[in-house]
Coordinates of all heavy atoms in Angstrom, one line a residue:
R1 N 0.8 -1.1 0.0 CA 0.0 0.0 0.0 C 0.9 1.2 0.1 O 0.8 2.1 0.9 CB -0.9 0.0 1.2 CG -1.9 -1.2 1.2 CD -2.9 -1.1 2.3 NE -2.6 -0.5 3.5 CZ -3.3 -0.2 4.4 NH1 -4.5 -0.5 4.3 NH2 -2.9 0.3 5.6
N2 N 1.6 1.4 -1.1 CA 2.5 2.5 -1.2 C 2.0 3.5 -2.1 O 1.3 3.2 -3.1 CB 3.9 2.0 -1.6 CG 4.5 1.1 -0.8 OD1 4.4 1.3 0.5 ND2 5.4 0.1 -1.3
E3 N 2.3 4.7 -1.8 CA 1.8 5.8 -2.6 C 2.5 5.8 -3.9 O 3.8 5.4 -3.9 CB 2.0 7.2 -2.0 CG 1.5 8.4 -2.7 CD 1.7 9.6 -2.0 OE1 2.0 9.7 -0.8 OE2 1.5 10.8 -2.6
I4 N 1.9 6.1 -5.0 CA 2.5 6.0 -6.4 C 1.8 7.0 -7.3 O 0.5 7.3 -7.2 CB 2.4 4.6 -7.0 CG1 3.2 4.6 -8.3 CG2 1.0 4.2 -7.2 CD1 3.4 3.2 -8.9
S5 N 2.7 7.8 -7.9 CA 2.1 8.6 -8.9 C 1.7 8.1 -10.3 O 2.2 7.0 -10.6 CB 3.2 9.8 -9.1 OG 4.2 9.4 -10.0
I6 N 0.9 8.7 -10.9 CA 0.4 8.2 -12.3 C 1.8 8.0 -13.2 O 1.9 7.1 -13.9 CB -0.6 9.1 -12.9 CG1 -1.9 9.1 -12.0 CG2 -0.9 8.7 -14.3 CD1 -2.6 7.8 -11.8
K7 N 2.6 9.0 -13.1 CA 3.9 8.9 -13.8 C 4.7 7.8 -13.6 O 5.2 7.0 -14.3 CB 4.6 10.2 -13.6 CG 6.0 10.3 -14.4 CD 6.7 11.7 -14.1 CE 7.9 11.7 -14.9 NZ 8.6 13.0 -14.6
E8 N 4.7 7.5 -12.2 CA 5.6 6.3 -11.8 C 4.9 5.0 -12.3 O 5.7 4.1 -12.7 CB 5.7 6.3 -10.2 CG 6.6 7.5 -9.6 CD 6.5 7.6 -8.1 OE1 5.4 7.4 -7.5 OE2 7.5 7.9 -7.7
L9 N 3.6 5.0 -12.2 CA 2.9 3.8 -12.6 C 3.0 3.6 -14.1 O 3.3 2.5 -14.6 CB 1.3 3.9 -12.3 CG 0.5 2.8 -12.8 CD1 1.0 1.5 -12.2 CD2 -1.0 3.1 -12.5
A10 N 3.0 4.6 -14.9 CA 3.2 4.6 -16.4 C 4.6 4.0 -16.7 O 4.8 3.1 -17.6 CB 3.0 5.9 -16.9
H11 N 5.6 4.6 -15.9 CA 7.0 4.1 -16.1 C 7.1 2.5 -15.7 O 7.8 1.8 -16.4 CB 8.0 4.9 -15.3 CG 8.3 6.2 -16.1 ND1 9.0 6.2 -17.2 CD2 8.0 7.5 -15.8 CE1 9.1 7.6 -17.5 NE2 8.4 8.3 -16.8
A12 N 6.4 2.2 -14.7 CA 6.5 0.8 -14.2 C 5.9 -0.1 -15.3 O 6.4 -1.2 -15.6 CB 5.9 0.6 -13.0
V13 N 4.7 0.3 -15.8 CA 4.1 -0.5 -16.9 C 5.0 -0.7 -18.1 O 5.2 -1.7 -18.7 CB 2.8 0.1 -17.4 CG1 2.2 -0.6 -18.6 CG2 1.7 0.0 -16.2
K14 N 5.7 0.5 -18.5 CA 6.5 0.4 -19.6 C 7.8 -0.6 -19.5 O 8.2 -1.2 -20.3 CB 7.1 1.9 -20.0 CG 6.1 2.7 -20.7 CD 6.9 4.1 -21.1 CE 8.1 3.8 -22.0 NZ 8.6 4.9 -22.7
R15 N 8.3 -0.4 -18.2 CA 9.4 -1.2 -17.8 C 9.0 -2.8 -17.9 O 9.7 -3.6 -18.5 CB 10.0 -0.9 -16.5 CG 11.1 -1.6 -16.1 CD 11.7 -1.1 -14.6 NE 10.7 -1.1 -13.5 CZ 10.1 -0.2 -13.1 NH1 10.3 1.1 -13.6 NH2 9.3 -0.3 -12.1
V16 N 7.9 -3.2 -17.3 CA 7.5 -4.5 -17.2 C 7.1 -5.1 -18.7 O 7.5 -6.1 -19.0 CB 6.3 -4.7 -16.4 CG1 5.7 -6.0 -16.5 CG2 6.8 -4.5 -14.8
T17 N 6.6 -4.3 -19.5 CA 6.2 -4.7 -20.7 C 7.1 -4.4 -21.9 O 7.0 -4.8 -23.0 CB 4.8 -3.9 -21.2 OG1 5.1 -2.5 -21.3 CG2 3.7 -4.1 -20.2
K18 N 8.3 -3.8 -21.5 CA 9.4 -3.6 -22.4 C 8.8 -2.7 -23.5 O 9.2 -2.9 -24.7 CB 9.9 -4.8 -22.9 CG 10.7 -5.6 -21.7 CD 11.2 -6.9 -22.3 CE 11.8 -7.7 -21.2 NZ 11.1 -8.2 -20.1
S19 N 7.9 -1.8 -23.3 CA 7.3 -1.0 -24.3 C 8.2 0.3 -24.5 O 8.9 0.8 -23.8 CB 5.9 -0.4 -23.7 OG 5.4 0.5 -24.6
S20 N 8.2 0.6 -25.8 CA 8.8 1.8 -26.3 C 7.8 2.9 -26.5 O 8.2 4.0 -27.0 CB 9.5 1.5 -27.6 OG 8.6 1.1 -28.7
S21 N 6.6 2.8 -26.0 CA 5.5 3.7 -26.1 C 6.0 5.0 -25.4 O 6.8 4.9 -24.4 CB 4.2 3.3 -25.5 OG 3.7 2.2 -26.2
R22 N 5.6 6.2 -25.8 CA 5.8 7.4 -25.3 C 4.7 7.8 -24.3 O 3.5 7.4 -24.5 CB 5.8 8.5 -26.4 CG 6.4 9.8 -26.0 CD 6.5 10.7 -27.3 NE 5.3 10.9 -27.9 CZ 4.5 12.1 -27.7 NH1 5.0 13.0 -26.8 NH2 3.5 12.3 -28.3
I23 N 5.1 8.2 -23.2 CA 4.2 8.5 -22.1 C 3.7 10.0 -22.4 O 4.6 11.0 -22.6 CB 4.7 8.5 -20.8 CG1 5.0 7.0 -20.4 CG2 3.8 9.1 -19.7 CD1 5.9 6.9 -19.1
V24 N 2.5 10.3 -22.5 CA 1.8 11.5 -22.9 C 1.0 12.1 -21.7 O 0.1 11.4 -21.2 CB 1.0 11.3 -24.2 CG1 0.3 12.7 -24.5 CG2 1.7 10.8 -25.4
F25 N 1.2 13.3 -21.4 CA 0.5 13.9 -20.2 C -0.5 14.9 -20.7 O -0.1 15.7 -21.6 CB 1.5 14.7 -19.3 CG 2.5 13.7 -18.7 CD1 3.8 13.6 -19.3 CD2 2.2 13.1 -17.5 CE1 4.8 12.6 -18.7 CE2 3.2 12.2 -16.9 CZ 4.4 12.1 -17.4
E26 N -1.7 14.7 -20.3 CA -2.8 15.7 -20.8 C -3.4 16.1 -19.5 O -3.3 15.7 -18.4 CB -3.8 14.7 -21.4 CG -3.4 14.1 -22.7 CD -3.4 15.1 -24.0 OE1 -3.8 16.2 -23.7 OE2 -2.8 14.5 -24.9
P27 N -3.9 17.3 -19.6 CA -4.4 18.1 -18.5 C -5.8 17.4 -18.1 O -6.5 16.9 -18.9 CB -4.8 19.5 -19.0 CG -4.7 19.4 -20.4 CD -3.8 18.4 -20.8
Y28 N -6.0 17.3 -16.8 CA -7.3 16.6 -16.3 C -8.5 17.2 -16.8 O -9.4 16.5 -17.1 CB -7.2 16.9 -14.6 CG -6.4 15.7 -14.0 CD1 -5.2 16.0 -13.6 CD2 -7.1 14.5 -13.9 CE1 -4.4 14.9 -12.9 CE2 -6.2 13.5 -13.2 CZ -5.0 13.7 -12.7 OH -4.3 12.8 -12.1
R29 N -8.5 18.6 -17.0 CA -9.7 19.4 -17.5 C -10.2 18.9 -18.8 O -11.3 18.9 -19.1 CB -9.5 20.7 -17.3 CG -8.6 21.5 -18.2 CD -8.4 22.9 -17.9 NE -7.3 23.5 -18.7 CZ -6.0 23.3 -18.1 NH1 -5.8 22.7 -17.1 NH2 -4.9 23.8 -18.9
K30 N -9.1 18.3 -19.6 CA -9.5 17.8 -20.9 C -10.5 16.8 -20.9 O -11.3 16.7 -21.7 CB -8.2 17.5 -21.6 CG -8.5 17.0 -23.1 CD -7.1 16.6 -23.8 CE -7.4 16.1 -25.1 NZ -6.1 15.7 -25.8
Y31 N -10.3 15.9 -19.9 CA -11.2 14.7 -19.8 C -12.3 14.8 -18.6 O -13.3 14.3 -18.7 CB -10.3 13.5 -19.5 CG -9.3 13.2 -20.5 CD1 -8.0 13.7 -20.5 CD2 -9.8 12.6 -21.7 CE1 -7.2 13.4 -21.5 CE2 -8.9 12.3 -22.8 CZ -7.6 12.8 -22.7 OH -6.6 12.6 -23.6
Y32 N -12.0 15.6 -17.7 CA -12.9 15.7 -16.5 C -13.6 17.1 -16.3 O -14.4 17.2 -15.5 CB -12.2 15.3 -15.2 CG -11.6 13.8 -15.3 CD1 -10.3 13.7 -15.4 CD2 -12.5 12.8 -15.1 CE1 -9.7 12.4 -15.6 CE2 -11.9 11.5 -15.4 CZ -10.6 11.4 -15.5 OH -10.1 10.2 -15.5
G33 N -13.2 18.1 -17.1 CA -13.9 19.3 -17.0 C -13.0 20.2 -16.0 O -12.3 19.8 -15.3
S34 N -13.4 21.5 -16.1 CA -12.7 22.5 -15.3 C -12.9 22.5 -13.7 O -12.1 22.9 -13.0 CB -13.0 23.9 -15.7 OG -14.4 24.2 -15.7
N35 N -14.0 21.8 -13.3 CA -14.3 21.7 -11.8 C -13.6 20.5 -11.2 O -13.8 20.2 -10.0 CB -15.8 21.6 -11.8 CG -16.5 23.0 -12.1 OD1 -16.0 24.0 -11.9 ND2 -17.7 22.9 -12.6
F36 N -13.0 19.6 -11.9 CA -12.5 18.4 -11.4 C -11.3 18.8 -10.5 O -10.4 19.7 -10.8 CB -11.9 17.5 -12.6 CG -11.2 16.3 -11.9 CD1 -12.0 15.2 -11.5 CD2 -9.9 16.1 -12.0 CE1 -11.5 14.1 -11.1 CE2 -9.3 15.0 -11.5 CZ -10.1 13.9 -11.1
Q37 N -11.2 18.1 -9.4 CA -10.1 18.4 -8.5 C -9.2 17.2 -8.4 O -9.7 16.0 -8.0 CB -10.5 18.8 -7.1 CG -11.3 20.1 -7.0 CD -11.6 20.6 -5.6 OE1 -11.6 19.8 -4.8 NE2 -12.0 21.8 -5.5
D38 N -8.0 17.2 -8.7 CA -7.0 16.1 -8.8 C -6.8 15.6 -7.3 O -6.9 16.2 -6.3 CB -5.7 16.5 -9.3 CG -4.8 15.4 -9.4 OD1 -5.1 14.2 -9.4 OD2 -3.6 15.7 -9.7
I39 N -6.7 14.2 -7.2 CA -6.4 13.6 -5.9 C -4.8 13.7 -5.7 O -4.1 13.3 -6.5 CB -6.9 12.2 -6.0 CG1 -8.4 12.0 -6.1 CG2 -6.5 11.5 -4.6 CD1 -8.8 10.6 -6.4
K40 N -4.6 14.3 -4.6 CA -3.0 14.6 -4.4 C -2.3 13.4 -3.8 O -1.1 13.1 -4.0 CB -2.9 15.8 -3.5 CG -3.4 17.0 -4.1 CD -2.7 17.5 -5.3 CE -3.3 18.7 -5.9 NZ -2.9 19.0 -7.2
K41 N -3.1 12.6 -3.1 CA -2.5 11.4 -2.5 C -3.2 10.1 -3.0 O -4.3 10.0 -2.9 CB -2.5 11.5 -0.9 CG -1.6 10.8 -0.2 CD -1.5 11.5 1.2 CE -0.7 10.7 2.1 NZ 0.7 10.8 1.8
R42 N -2.3 9.3 -3.6 CA -2.9 8.1 -4.1 C -2.3 6.8 -3.5 O -1.5 6.1 -3.8 CB -2.5 7.9 -5.7 CG -3.1 9.0 -6.6 CD -2.6 8.9 -7.9 NE -3.2 9.7 -8.8 CZ -2.9 11.0 -8.9 NH1 -1.8 11.5 -8.4 NH2 -3.5 11.9 -9.8
V43 N -3.0 6.7 -2.3 CA -2.7 5.4 -1.4 C -4.0 4.6 -1.3 O -5.0 5.3 -0.7 CB -2.0 5.9 -0.1 CG1 -1.8 4.6 0.8 CG2 -0.9 6.7 -0.2
P44 N -4.0 3.5 -1.8 CA -5.3 2.6 -1.7 C -5.7 2.5 -0.3 O -4.8 2.0 0.5 CB -5.0 1.4 -2.5 CG -3.5 1.2 -2.5 CD -3.0 2.6 -2.3
D45 N -6.9 2.5 0.0 CA -7.5 2.0 1.2 C -8.1 0.7 0.9 O -9.1 0.6 0.3 CB -8.6 3.1 1.7 CG -9.3 2.6 2.9 OD1 -9.0 1.7 3.5 OD2 -10.3 3.3 3.4
L46 N -7.5 -0.3 1.6 CA -8.0 -1.7 1.4 C -8.9 -2.1 2.4 O -9.2 -3.4 2.6 CB -6.7 -2.6 1.3 CG -5.8 -2.3 0.3 CD1 -4.6 -3.2 0.2 CD2 -6.5 -2.3 -1.1
S47 N -9.4 -1.3 3.3 CA -10.2 -1.7 4.4 C -11.5 -2.3 3.9 O -12.0 -3.3 4.5 CB -10.6 -0.6 5.4 OG -11.2 0.5 4.7
K48 N -12.1 -1.8 2.9 CA -13.4 -2.3 2.3 C -13.1 -3.8 1.8 O -13.9 -4.6 1.9 CB -13.9 -1.5 1.2 CG -15.2 -1.9 0.6 CD -16.3 -1.5 1.4 CE -17.6 -1.7 0.7 NZ -18.7 -1.2 1.4
L49 N -12.0 -4.0 1.1 CA -11.6 -5.3 0.5 C -11.4 -6.2 1.8 O -12.0 -7.4 1.7 CB -10.3 -5.2 -0.2 CG -9.8 -6.5 -1.0 CD1 -10.9 -7.0 -1.9 CD2 -8.5 -6.2 -1.5
K50 N -10.8 -5.8 2.8 CA -10.7 -6.7 3.9 C -11.9 -7.0 4.6 O -12.3 -8.3 4.9 CB -9.7 -6.1 4.9 CG -9.4 -7.1 6.0 CD -8.3 -6.7 7.0 CE -8.1 -7.7 8.0 NZ -7.3 -7.4 9.1
E51 N -12.8 -6.0 4.6 CA -14.2 -6.2 5.2 C -14.9 -7.3 4.4 O -15.6 -8.1 5.1 CB -14.8 -5.0 5.2 CG -16.3 -5.1 5.8 CD -16.9 -3.6 5.7 OE1 -16.4 -2.6 5.8 OE2 -18.1 -3.6 5.3
I52 N -14.9 -7.2 3.1 CA -15.6 -8.2 2.4 C -15.0 -9.6 2.1 O -15.7 -10.6 2.2 CB -15.8 -7.5 0.9 CG1 -16.6 -6.3 1.0 CG2 -16.4 -8.5 -0.2 CD1 -16.7 -5.4 -0.3
T53 N -13.7 -9.6 1.9 CA -13.0 -10.8 1.7 C -12.3 -11.5 3.0 O -11.9 -12.6 3.0 CB -12.0 -10.7 0.6 OG1 -10.9 -9.9 1.0 CG2 -12.6 -10.2 -0.7
G54 N -12.0 -10.6 3.9 CA -11.3 -11.1 5.1 C -9.8 -11.0 5.0 O -9.0 -11.5 5.8
V55 N -9.3 -10.7 3.8 CA -7.8 -10.6 3.5 C -7.6 -9.4 2.9 O -8.3 -8.7 2.1 CB -7.3 -11.9 2.8 CG1 -7.7 -13.0 3.5 CG2 -8.0 -11.8 1.4
I56 N -6.2 -9.1 3.0 CA -5.6 -8.0 2.2 C -4.5 -8.5 1.3 O -3.6 -9.3 1.9 CB -5.0 -6.7 3.1 CG1 -6.2 -6.2 3.8 CG2 -4.1 -5.8 2.4 CD1 -5.7 -5.1 4.8
P57 N -4.5 -8.3 0.0 CA -3.5 -8.9 -0.8 C -2.0 -8.5 -0.4 O -1.8 -7.4 0.2 CB -3.9 -8.2 -2.1 CG -5.2 -7.8 -2.2 CD -5.4 -7.4 -0.7
K58 N -1.1 -9.3 -0.5 CA 0.3 -9.1 -0.1 C 1.2 -9.0 -1.4 O 2.4 -8.8 -1.2 CB 0.8 -10.2 0.7 CG -0.2 -10.1 2.0 CD 0.6 -11.0 3.2 CE -0.1 -11.0 4.5 NZ -1.2 -10.1 4.9
T59 N 0.6 -9.2 -2.6 CA 1.4 -9.1 -3.9 C 1.7 -7.6 -4.1 O 0.7 -6.7 -4.1 CB 0.6 -9.6 -5.0 OG1 0.2 -10.9 -4.6 CG2 1.5 -9.8 -6.3
N60 N 3.0 -7.3 -4.4 CA 3.4 -5.9 -4.7 C 3.0 -5.5 -6.1 O 2.8 -6.4 -7.0 CB 4.7 -5.6 -4.3 CG 5.8 -6.3 -5.2 OD1 5.4 -6.4 -6.4 ND2 6.9 -6.7 -4.6
L61 N 3.1 -4.3 -6.3 CA 2.6 -3.8 -7.8 C 3.5 -4.3 -8.8 O 3.0 -4.7 -9.9 CB 2.7 -2.2 -7.7 CG 2.2 -1.5 -9.0 CD1 0.9 -1.9 -9.4 CD2 2.4 -0.1 -9.0
E62 N 4.7 -4.4 -8.6 CA 5.7 -4.8 -9.6 C 5.3 -6.2 -10.0 O 5.3 -6.6 -11.2 CB 7.1 -4.7 -9.1 CG 8.2 -4.9 -10.2 CD 8.3 -3.6 -11.0 OE1 8.0 -2.5 -10.6 OE2 8.9 -3.7 -12.2
D63 N 5.1 -7.1 -8.9 CA 4.8 -8.5 -9.3 C 3.5 -8.6 -10.0 O 3.3 -9.4 -10.9 CB 4.7 -9.3 -8.0 CG 6.0 -9.5 -7.3 OD1 7.1 -9.4 -8.0 OD2 6.1 -9.8 -6.1
I64 N 2.5 -7.8 -9.7 CA 1.1 -7.8 -10.3 C 1.4 -7.4 -11.8 O 0.8 -8.0 -12.7 CB 0.2 -6.8 -9.6 CG1 -0.2 -7.5 -8.3 CG2 -1.1 -6.5 -10.6 CD1 -1.0 -6.4 -7.4
L65 N 2.1 -6.4 -12.2 CA 2.4 -5.9 -13.4 C 3.1 -6.9 -14.2 O 2.8 -7.2 -15.4 CB 3.3 -4.6 -13.5 CG 2.4 -3.5 -12.8 CD1 3.4 -2.2 -12.8 CD2 1.2 -3.1 -13.8
E66 N 4.1 -7.6 -13.6 CA 4.7 -8.8 -14.3 C 3.8 -9.9 -14.7 O 3.8 -10.4 -15.7 CB 5.9 -9.3 -13.3 CG 6.9 -8.3 -13.1 CD 8.3 -8.7 -13.6 OE1 8.5 -9.6 -14.1 OE2 9.2 -7.8 -13.4
K67 N 2.9 -10.2 -13.7 CA 2.0 -11.2 -14.0 C 1.0 -10.8 -15.1 O 0.6 -11.7 -15.9 CB 1.2 -11.7 -12.7 CG 2.1 -12.5 -11.8 CD 1.3 -12.8 -10.5 CE 2.3 -13.5 -9.5 NZ 1.6 -13.7 -8.2
M68 N 0.6 -9.7 -15.2 CA -0.3 -9.1 -16.1 C 0.5 -9.2 -17.4 O -0.1 -9.7 -18.5 CB -0.9 -7.7 -15.9 CG -1.8 -7.7 -14.8 SD -2.4 -5.9 -14.4 CE -2.8 -5.4 -16.0
G69 N 1.7 -8.9 -17.4 CA 2.4 -8.8 -18.7 C 2.6 -10.2 -19.3 O 2.3 -10.5 -20.5
E70 N 2.9 -11.2 -18.4 CA 3.0 -12.5 -18.9 C 1.6 -13.1 -19.4 O 1.6 -13.7 -20.4 CB 3.4 -13.4 -17.6 CG 4.9 -13.3 -17.2 CD 5.1 -13.9 -15.9 OE1 4.2 -14.6 -15.4 OE2 6.2 -13.6 -15.4
Y71 N 0.5 -12.8 -18.8 CA -0.7 -13.2 -19.0 C -1.1 -12.6 -20.6 O -1.5 -13.3 -21.4 CB -1.8 -12.8 -18.2 CG -3.2 -13.2 -18.5 CD1 -3.7 -14.5 -18.4 CD2 -4.0 -12.2 -19.3 CE1 -4.9 -15.0 -18.8 CE2 -5.3 -12.7 -19.8 CZ -5.7 -13.9 -19.5 OH -6.9 -14.5 -20.0
F72 N -0.9 -11.3 -20.8 CA -1.2 -10.9 -22.0 C -0.3 -11.2 -23.2 O -0.7 -11.2 -24.3 CB -1.4 -9.3 -21.9 CG -2.7 -8.9 -21.3 CD1 -2.7 -8.2 -20.0 CD2 -3.9 -9.1 -21.7 CE1 -3.8 -7.9 -19.3 CE2 -5.1 -8.8 -21.1 CZ -5.0 -8.2 -19.9
T73 N 0.9 -11.5 -22.7 CA 1.8 -12.1 -23.8 C 1.3 -13.4 -24.2 O 1.4 -13.8 -25.5 CB 3.2 -12.2 -23.1 OG1 3.7 -10.9 -22.8 CG2 4.2 -12.9 -24.2
E74 N 0.9 -14.3 -23.3 CA 0.2 -15.6 -23.7 C -1.2 -15.5 -24.2 O -1.5 -16.5 -24.9 CB 0.3 -16.4 -22.3 CG 1.7 -16.7 -21.8 CD 1.6 -17.3 -20.5 OE1 0.5 -17.7 -20.1 OE2 2.7 -17.4 -19.8
H75 N -1.9 -14.6 -24.0 CA -3.2 -14.4 -24.4 C -3.6 -13.0 -25.2 O -4.3 -12.2 -24.6 CB -4.3 -14.4 -23.2 CG -4.1 -15.8 -22.6 ND1 -3.3 -15.9 -21.5 CD2 -4.6 -16.9 -22.8 CE1 -3.3 -17.1 -21.1 NE2 -4.2 -17.8 -21.8
P76 N -2.7 -12.6 -26.2 CA -2.8 -11.2 -26.8 C -4.3 -11.0 -27.3 O -4.6 -9.7 -27.3 CB -1.9 -11.3 -28.0 CG -1.7 -12.8 -28.2 CD -1.9 -13.5 -27.0
E77 N -5.1 -11.9 -27.5 CA -6.5 -11.7 -27.9 C -7.3 -11.1 -26.8 O -8.3 -10.4 -27.1 CB -7.2 -13.1 -28.5 CG -7.5 -14.0 -27.2 CD -6.3 -14.9 -26.6 OE1 -5.2 -14.7 -27.3 OE2 -6.5 -15.6 -25.9
E78 N -6.9 -11.2 -25.6 CA -7.6 -10.6 -24.4 C -7.4 -9.1 -24.5 O -8.2 -8.3 -23.8 CB -7.1 -11.2 -23.2 CG -7.5 -12.7 -23.0 CD -9.0 -12.8 -22.7 OE1 -9.6 -12.0 -22.2 OE2 -9.6 -13.8 -23.3
L79 N -6.4 -8.5 -25.0 CA -6.1 -7.1 -25.1 C -7.3 -6.3 -25.7 O -7.7 -5.2 -25.3 CB -4.8 -6.8 -25.9 CG -3.5 -7.2 -25.1 CD1 -2.4 -7.0 -26.0 CD2 -3.4 -6.4 -23.7
G80 N -8.0 -6.9 -26.7 CA -9.2 -6.4 -27.2 C -10.4 -6.1 -26.3 O -11.3 -5.4 -26.5
N81 N -10.2 -7.0 -25.0 CA -11.5 -6.9 -24.1 C -11.2 -5.8 -23.1 O -12.0 -5.7 -22.1 CB -11.6 -8.3 -23.5 CG -12.0 -9.3 -24.5 OD1 -12.7 -9.0 -25.5 ND2 -11.6 -10.6 -24.2
I82 N -10.1 -5.0 -23.1 CA -9.9 -4.1 -22.0 C -10.0 -2.7 -22.5 O -10.0 -2.5 -23.7 CB -8.6 -4.4 -21.3 CG1 -7.3 -4.4 -22.2 CG2 -8.7 -5.7 -20.5 CD1 -6.0 -4.5 -21.5

């Protein structure tokens, strides 16, 4: 449950997928309007998940991204479903 910026997440995805894609930054207002307020702190609250399932995942983000990369490498047809 570590804080991560969108930029850091984008770089992590690029690293795991070995992508040469360019990261493009767009203003929030372009997609959410001028009244949108950005969330300054992005730390997930897993209390609801624990309440429902009784557990909190222990897999870190890097491992999750690696597993997703492996899955989509083996099942490229699934990329059309996301």
